[in-house]
Amino acid sequence: MAQIMAPTTQCQMRITKHSLNASPMTAKTWSSLLLKQKKSGNTKSLSKFRVYALKSENSTINRLENLLNLDVTPYTDKIIAEYIWIGGSGIDLRSKSRTISRPVEHPSELPKWNYDGSSTGQAPGEDSEVILYPQAIFKDPFRGGNNILVICDTYTPAGEPIPTNKRARAAEIFSNQKVINEVPWYGIEQEYTLMQTNVQWPLGWPVGGYPGPQGPYYCGVGADKSFGRDISDAHYKACLYAGINISGTNGEVMPGQWEYQVGPSVGIEAGDHIWCSRYLLERITEQTGVVLTLDPKPIEGDWNGAGCHTNYRFTP
């Protein structure tokens, strides 16, 4: 919704999608509104005048959305691969895009890539190149088509895992035949909190204040108990589309807090799926203007924390 700000509060005009002749505000329309305002004798309140106008079908916003949703499959065999990796903090996610000449089905078909590790806290400035090794592929729910998300791990140009690359050691363990024979199953319960932008306070909470005591919010239903359900549902569907083995979701004990479950997954797949699911959640909250935090204790006091419980089963 475009918002035209000018001095006053006395008059509001809405041009809805149902208005077939809706068009952007013009100078003539603006002058007409001001003239009507003067005739009504409300000139003293010009400092609060506000006009709202929804963008028409030919607006910049809709043209941008049309391009974002454009399916290029009929016109080219090329696809977009979003390379994703874990940054220097060990919990931040980074990504960048590249064009691949054709659709692929396995990470081995993808080229390695590089990035500036000094900008992610993973390499010194004088020797900053870090190499991305593609390890797992997921369908891209944002771009659709044959486009993909690529989970990568990180190496020096000489082929050594950098210190923040924990996946390399995990892959060694899970590729051991003894471990393979045990069929290690993992079920991961990821809790998270949605925060209001700028104020860093949970979604649904009064700014600087607190909601009612915990109790009604866990798996709660209703506008006064559930905050962020659309984000949770969008994430659920995005994970299913991508091929992530998500198995459920629910509202948590603290208002503005949610949980989803990934698994059961076997071996290294569990790590790849949980990290890709976190990436999807970061992207969805980015689009909705909400801040995601995995902080285990985002609010001090008698408020529920947020963890990542790991359930394990093996075949002896």
Side-chain angles (χ1 to χ4, degrees), residues 136 142 249 295:
F142 304 107
T249 186
D295 189 324

Side-chain angles (χ1 to χ4, degrees), residues 92-149:
D92 61 310
L93 283 161
R94 309 291 178 121
S95 75
K96 61 178 185 173
S97 314
R98 71 175 296 167
T99 303
I100 305 297
S101 61
R102 59 178 175 79
V104 299
E105 296 182 358
H106 193 272
S108 63
E109 301 175 67
L110 291 166
K112 296 173 185 176
W113 205 8
N114 64 343
Y115 68 94
D116 173 18
S118 68
S119 297
T120 62
Q122 293 173 293
E126 64 274 12
D127 185 17
S128 64
E129 186 176 34
V130 178
I131 310 301
L132 294 168
Y133 285 34
Q135 300 292 359
I137 290 176
F138 298 88
K139 293 174 64 179
D140 186 341
F142 304 107
R143 296 187 173 113
N146 293 319
N147 302 301
I148 55 175
L149 306 174

